[in-house]
Amino acid sequence: MDEELRSLTERLRQESRGSAAYEHLVATADHEELAEALTAAGQPLWARELAAFRLGTAGDRRAFEALVLLLNHRDPPRCASAAQALARLRDPRTARAAAALATNELRVAHALHPVRLLVELRAPESVPALITTLERRLRPHDPYRRVALACVDGLGALGDPSARRVLNEALAHPALAEAAVHALARIPKQR
């Protein structure tokens, strides 16, 4: 069992109080059964999350919609497990969905994991979404510094020259300045 699944199952075992249904979903190798847990009426959130994670990490695209919903959840561990599964799912819709979540100002408090997922995906949508999200975080007294810092770090990791302008603007923000210096150093010099 890999570390991601171990962490998820420990958390969900507690949530489900170790129920027989939980033990069954953890043990089953039947993708049809897991897919049924995503759509059946009355399923608890822990069951849907476990099924979506297992299907997603196995490359079964039926998990996509459930994983995107979990990526936008208010509970950070759910967002983290959804991001891990989406990264392994390799669904072509993932980058567009993560970019939409990262740039949604109404849900910016939950944008950290979509931002990190965009960096991991290295998709064409990644840099524009991170730039947009970071630009909005550079307003005075913005409370979402962790999201801003993830954008700065991510733009440095992606190394795209189009990020130079916004990273230079981030230098003026004490909480971001050091990370922006490091990010700028990772972007190839223009000739």
Side-chain angles (χ1 to χ4, degrees):
M1 182 183 303
D2 66 14
E3 187 56 37
E4 295 155 349
L5 182 56
R6 184 174 298 120
S7 174
L8 175 84
T9 55
E10 292 290 326
R11 178 171 54 81
L12 297 183
R13 178 176 284 117
Q14 292 176 359
E15 244 181 81
S16 70
R17 296 185 172 99
S19 69
Y22 164 82
E23 295 299 338
H24 182 74
L25 279 178
V26 166
T28 189
D30 185 349
H31 283 206
E32 296 306 317
E33 243 182 287
L34 292 169
E36 176 66 25
L38 289 178
T39 58
Q43 287 291 332
L45 183 56
W46 63 261
R48 293 184 196 285
E49 181 181 1
L50 181 56
F53 184 89
R54 294 204 51 221
L55 287 169
T57 57
D60 190 321
R61 291 190 176 165
R62 291 178 288 182
F64 177 76
E65 288 83 6
L67 289 170
V68 169
L69 288 172
L70 290 165
L71 182 63
N72 193 35
H73 199 273
R74 68 182 176 273
D75 185 17
R78 291 195 201 286
C79 299
S81 68
Q84 292 165 353
L86 282 165
R88 290 170 65 180
L89 181 60
R90 302 280 184 222
D91 189 297
R93 301 170 290 175
T94 301
R96 191 172 337 124
L101 293 174
T103 58
N104 182 343
E105 275 300 289
L106 298 176
R107 301 289 295 171
V108 70
H110 309 290
L112 184 62
H113 292 286
V115 164
R116 290 177 178 164
L117 178 58
L118 284 167
V119 175
E120 186 173 348
L121 294 174
R122 302 182 84 79
E125 296 89 344
S126 298
V127 171
L130 295 181
I131 289 172
T132 297
T133 303
L134 181 56
E135 285 172 336
R136 294 172 180 167
R137 305 288 58 85
L138 297 179
R139 297 181 195 135
H141 312 293
D142 185 84
Y144 305 108
R145 287 293 167 220
R146 290 185 66 211
V147 173
L149 190 56
C151 289
V152 169
D153 291 340
L155 289 168
L158 294 171
D160 190 303
S162 64
R164 256 185 215 293
R165 179 193 53 77
V166 73
L167 289 171
N168 279 317
E169 291 174 22
L171 291 170
H173 296 265
L176 303 175
E178 184 178 345
V181 167
H182 293 297
L184 284 163
R186 295 178 76 182
I187 296 176
K189 302 282 185 217
Q190 293 177 323
R191 296 172 195 212

